[in-house]
Amino acid sequence: RKEVEQDPGPFNVPEGATVAFNCTYSNSASQSFFWYRQDCRKEPKLLMSVYSSGNEDGRFTAQLNRASQYISLLIRDSKLSDSATYLCVVSPSGYSTLTFGKGTMLLVSP
Amino acid sequence: DADVTQTPRNRITKTGKRIMLECSQTKGHDRMYWYRQDPGLGLQLIYYSFDVKDINKGEISDGYSVSRQAQAKFSLSLESAIPNQTALYFCATSVRRGAFYEQFFGPGTRLTVL
């Protein structure tokens, strides 16, 4: 089983839609969780950390389910500029290296 | 945010050649990393360094070596390049943000080995 698994997509949605991505991880010792965004041929950038209680940043909401070992990202009111690949990332502790999923591609159309 | 630069940005080379990719950062972060990314695959960690005297192998270090010349510089070498090392290479630094470390990536080096 791969350490971090994501549906590669692409997810094709119209502007204004709500879209959700899920990610599962295999290492139950994972302690830190993140969503990174990567535009085509560009470097990944941190979108948001994911906390056990769930957290929201504007139109983006992240949730963590430790029992089921999955992480979700919800994007509301999608914008054209949200088109990118979203990488699910986990770390066994806050101070060690990161393990990246392969990413989920989102395409938002007018 | 960290200013992470990579040189060269693009490189085409031939099988068997020695190649060095360079990474510099200007924000004083201690931790630096090298990743490769292949089409449709996630980032894979090659090497990482938590300070100037610390070098650690990542999950795919075979065929690569690194040098941490200074806090700000971390170089990746391919001693004898082979075609399956064709990939997009990213350097990253990280800084502590409370309970976790946030990583900042350079713009990437696109390497093609013919």
Side-chain angles (χ1 to χ4, degrees), chain B residues 71-100:
Chain B
Q71 185 196 43
K73 296 184 182 297
F74 192 35
S75 300
L76 176 71
S77 293
L78 287 68
E79 297 301 325
S80 179
I82 56 177
N84 76 1
Q85 290 178 313
T86 294
L88 182 56
Y89 290 83
F90 288 107
C91 174
T93 70
S94 66
V95 66
R96 183 174 175 173
R97 302 286 198 206
F100 67 90

Side-chain angles (χ1 to χ4, degrees), chain A residues 32 34 46 49 51 93-95, chain B residues 95-103:
Chain A
S32 299
F34 313 91
L46 179 65
S49 303
Y51 302 116
S93 80
Y95 301 98
Chain B
V95 66
R96 183 174 175 173
R97 302 286 198 206
F100 67 90
Y101 274 78
E102 179 179 351
Q103 290 199 8

Side-chain angles (χ1 to χ4, degrees), chain A residues 59-84:
Chain A
R59 298 181 293 108
F60 299 84
T61 300
Q63 297 279 352
L64 169 65
N65 185 319
R66 286 186 184 271
S68 301
Q69 295 182 205
Y70 82 76
I71 308 154
S72 65
L73 177 68
L74 181 76
I75 305 175
R76 291 181 299 278
D77 189 23
S78 298
K79 312 292 185 189
L80 295 176
S81 57
D82 293 334
S83 295

